[in-house]
Amino acid sequence: MATLILSRPPHDSALLRRIRVTVDGRQVAGLRPGRSASVSVESGQHVVQASLDWTRSEALTVRVGDEETVALEVSCPVRAYWQTWTAPLRALDIRRV
């Protein structure tokens, strides 16, 4: 088994809200600012995406090897307030750290 460590920075926007994280279309975490979650996955390729209400991040494809740990960070940047209306499918950020 491989592991994904999902985290959200402590001083993120939307302080009182949880960002939902899905792996391969299945919700695996709801992260508040400053929190993290560890998720076991099979080795191979996975699609990870973050969402908050109707806004989303772009899908991130991650390949993990057997026994490998990959760290990902999701966030709601200040620009997301504007992008909620102009580009809701790219308002949130997700990146490998």
Side-chain angles (χ1 to χ4, degrees):
M1 287 296 258
T3 304
L4 296 177
I5 303 295
L6 309 168
S7 65
R8 186 172 171 195
H11 303 292
D12 200 23
S13 297
L15 290 173
L16 301 176
R17 309 297 307 281
R18 292 176 195 247
I19 292 180
R20 293 177 307 281
V21 182
T22 60
V23 175
D24 300 329
R26 184 177 62 96
Q27 184 175 331
V28 296
L31 298 175
R32 291 194 184 276
R35 300 297 187 144
S36 63
S38 177
V39 179
S40 295
V41 295
E42 297 291 329
S43 59
Q45 185 170 300
H46 299 280
V47 177
V48 184
Q49 191 168 30
S51 65
L52 177 66
D53 299 329
W54 64 89
T55 62
R56 304 220 176 312
S57 68
E58 292 189 57
L60 177 67
T61 301
V62 178
R63 179 171 293 282
V64 290
D66 198 30
E67 302 298 322
E68 182 180 11
T69 298
V70 173
L72 302 174
E73 181 181 76
V74 299
S75 64
C76 181
V78 173
R79 67 171 161 68
Y81 292 114
W82 174 252
Q83 285 185 316
T84 294
W85 306 107
T86 61
L89 300 180
R90 293 189 319 268
L92 302 180
D93 288 341
I94 186 168
R95 67 185 183 98
R96 191 171 180 158
V97 290

